[in-house]
């Protein structure tokens, strides 16, 4: 998924969690945090939305780790989620759940890349096998991805009671 689709998917998941009562944060806080979290895995690609903003770092990560490798793994996600949790408890104790949308956004990116990334991700890094959920030749930024996102956002709007 391109940056904006990753962000919309993550924000939709956060909205569902808030609506279900599983996330005790204002949507004004949770949705932007989930959206930001969704960009984190692509820090390993210098042409990504986040990679362009941290260019020297993204180029180094790309050269040493490649794209959709370690940064797209459950190991990295778990470590970064723990880091988010720790920093959240130390710096923002009144928003005690602020780390959750960041973590959900990050994880939603991995799921999106496993669904629409032609080559999958090394989810179980250091095992080099790339994992894909949806077989076939769906591609990042393609029509299938766009249609899925539109359907998912519409379902989210219906489930959460959003009105147009």
């Amino acid at each position: 998924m391109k940056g904006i689709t990753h962000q919309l998917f993550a924000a939709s998941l956060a909205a569902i969690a808030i609506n279900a009562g599983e996330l005790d944060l204002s949507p004004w806080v949770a949705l932007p945090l989930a959206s930001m979290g969704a960009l984190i895995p692509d820090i390993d690609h210098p042409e990504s939305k986040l990679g362009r903003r941290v260019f020297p770092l993204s180029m180094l990560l790309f050269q040493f780790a490649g794209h959709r490798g370690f940064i797209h793994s459950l190991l990295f996600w778990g470590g970064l989620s723990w880091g988010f949790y720790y920093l959240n408890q130390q710096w923002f104790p009144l928003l005690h759940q602020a780390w959750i949308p960041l973590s959900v956004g990050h994880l939603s990116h991995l799921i999106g890349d496993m669904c629409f990334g032609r080559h999958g991700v090394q989810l179980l890094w250091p095992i080099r096998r790339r994992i894909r959920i949806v077989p076939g030749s769906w591609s990042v930024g393609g029509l299938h991805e766009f249609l899925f996102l539109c359907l998912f956002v519409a379902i989210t709007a219906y489930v959460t009671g959003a009105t147009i």
Side-chain angles (χ1 to χ4, degrees), residues 5-45:
T5 51
H6 277 305
Q7 291 178 293
L8 286 171
F9 183 49
S12 295
L13 290 174
I16 290 169
I18 291 168
N19 190 61
E22 298 298 323
L23 189 56
D24 187 26
L25 283 173
S26 162
W28 294 101
V29 173
L31 276 55
L33 287 175
S35 179
M36 289 188 308
L39 297 178
I40 292 170
D42 278 345
I43 197 169
D44 65 2
H45 196 284

Side-chain angles (χ1 to χ4, degrees), residues 94-160:
L94 294 177
L95 296 172
H96 67 281
Q97 289 187 333
W99 69 277
I100 296 173
L102 284 164
S103 181
V104 166
H106 185 149
L107 186 60
S108 74
H109 181 115
L110 304 181
I111 293 168
D113 279 357
M114 287 189 299
C115 288
F116 299 102
R118 189 171 310 175
H119 303 291
V121 299
Q122 288 182 9
L123 192 65
L124 302 175
W125 186 94
I127 297 171
R128 298 185 69 80
R129 183 173 179 264
R130 292 182 176 266
I131 297 173
R132 288 180 48 203
I133 295 173
V134 179
S137 61
W138 292 27
S139 63
V140 173
L143 180 62
H144 293 105
E145 177 190 42
F146 177 74
L147 293 175
F148 169 80
L149 181 67
C150 289
L151 179 63
F152 192 80
V153 169
I155 290 170
T156 301
Y158 177 76
V159 167
T160 60

Side-chain angles (χ1 to χ4, degrees), residues 15-90:
I16 290 169
I18 291 168
N19 190 61
E22 298 298 323
L23 189 56
D24 187 26
L25 283 173
S26 162
W28 294 101
V29 173
L31 276 55
L33 287 175
S35 179
M36 289 188 308
L39 297 178
I40 292 170
D42 278 345
I43 197 169
D44 65 2
H45 196 284
E47 297 297 319
S48 70
K49 193 178 238 183
L50 179 59
R52 288 190 305 266
R53 286 169 177 71
V54 295
F55 177 71
L57 175 62
S58 63
M59 181 57 82
L60 287 172
L61 288 170
F62 183 72
Q63 288 179 345
F64 289 107
H67 185 49
R68 296 191 179 137
F70 171 67
I71 304 294
H72 281 70
S73 72
L74 288 176
L75 182 64
F76 185 78
W77 169 74
L80 199 59
S81 293
W82 180 87
F84 289 152
Y85 172 79
Y86 179 78
L87 292 174
N88 186 191
Q89 302 312 307
Q90 297 301 312

